[in-house]
Structures are given as structure tokens and as C-alpha cells.
Amino acid sequence: MMKLTVERIYAKPADLNGYRILVDRLWPRGISKINAHLDWWAKQVGPSNELRKWFGHDPAKFAEFKQRYLAELADNPAFAELKDKVSVILQKQNVILLYGAKDEQHNQAVILKELLDKSLANH
């Protein structure tokens, strides 16, 4: 099995050895479509606009954000699609979940990776 990792889209790609999925609902500022080297933009798995605005990248709200986001994902068919696709791709290559937030610990990509790791381990 290959690796599932999380990377900030603004970081210079460590390598392009992986299927690159942007998991933000909004396109990251200042990144061109060419420089993103994306394979897929899974914007429907990003947090809802209401949740994103409420969170405002405040680490103090992260635990609550995580609960609310997981609740959104539970009802989101786009998450099921992401999980199935990632499961298939990981048979052949690494998968990199990309996000735009400055905070590398408190963002939805970290939550998605954790959820995917759990789901795929039980697959």
C-alpha cells in the first residue's frame, strides 16, 4: 500500500510522486492552475462556507470545528466518492491531500487524512 499524506499547496512540491487532490472548497489565492499540478479538485469535500467562516482558522475552535466537519462529511456523498477513489489510487501510487491554510495542524486536510486512514484500514 502506498502512502496518504497532507501537504500545503503553497509549499514547493517535495516531489510529484503522487496523485494530488486539492481538498479546499475555495481555490487558494495566488496559485495558478498550472503550478498547482493537480490531478483532482475535490472541492465538495471541503467544509461548508458557514463552517469555514465560523472556524476562521482559530486553533481554539479546532476541536469543535473537527466535530462539525466530521458531521458534514458523514452526510456528504462527495466524501464517499473521495474515499473510494483514494482507496483505488493507493493501490498504485501515493496520494497527497492539498490545502491552502497557513496552519499545518489545524485544517480540514488533517481531519480528512485521519478519517481516510481509519476508513481505509477497515476497508
Side-chain angles (χ1 to χ4, degrees), residues 55-102:
F55 175 46
H57 298 290
D58 177 353
K61 292 181 174 177
F62 188 69
E64 172 81 6
F65 170 74
K66 182 176 179 176
Q67 294 311 310
R68 291 184 186 191
Y69 183 45
L70 289 172
E72 282 186 358
L73 289 172
D75 298 330
N76 186 344
F79 176 71
E81 181 191 354
L82 176 72
K83 186 173 71 175
D84 293 345
K85 198 165 183 169
V86 166
S87 164
V88 169
I89 295 164
L90 281 172
Q91 310 286 322
K92 298 182 201 83
Q93 69 183 113
N94 296 325
V95 173
I96 304 157
L97 301 178
L98 298 160
Y99 65 93
K102 284 190 179 86

Side-chain angles (χ1 to χ4, degrees), residues 5-112:
T5 57
V6 170
E7 198 175 283
R8 192 160 181 252
I9 196 160
Y10 296 101
K12 183 155 175 31
D15 56 48
L16 294 172
N17 177 20
Y19 191 90
R20 296 169 56 85
I21 304 171
L22 176 62
V23 293
D24 284 357
R25 192 170 287 265
L26 300 176
W27 188 263
R29 282 193 198 115
I31 293 280
S32 72
K33 299 250 191 297
I34 292 163
N35 291 339
H37 300 289
L38 279 191
D39 293 296
W40 184 32
W41 181 13
K43 61 181 155 192
Q44 298 308 320
V45 299
S48 66
N49 289 330
E50 298 75 33
L51 181 56
R52 184 178 48 78
K53 286 176 183 155
W54 171 84
F55 175 46
H57 298 290
D58 177 353
K61 292 181 174 177
F62 188 69
E64 172 81 6
F65 170 74
K66 182 176 179 176
Q67 294 311 310
R68 291 184 186 191
Y69 183 45
L70 289 172
E72 282 186 358
L73 289 172
D75 298 330
N76 186 344
F79 176 71
E81 181 191 354
L82 176 72
K83 186 173 71 175
D84 293 345
K85 198 165 183 169
V86 166
S87 164
V88 169
I89 295 164
L90 281 172
Q91 310 286 322
K92 298 182 201 83
Q93 69 183 113
N94 296 325
V95 173
I96 304 157
L97 301 178
L98 298 160
Y99 65 93
K102 284 190 179 86
D103 189 326
E104 297 184 12
Q105 275 86 45
H106 305 100
N107 64 67
Q108 83 278 3
V110 170
I111 298 168
L112 270 174

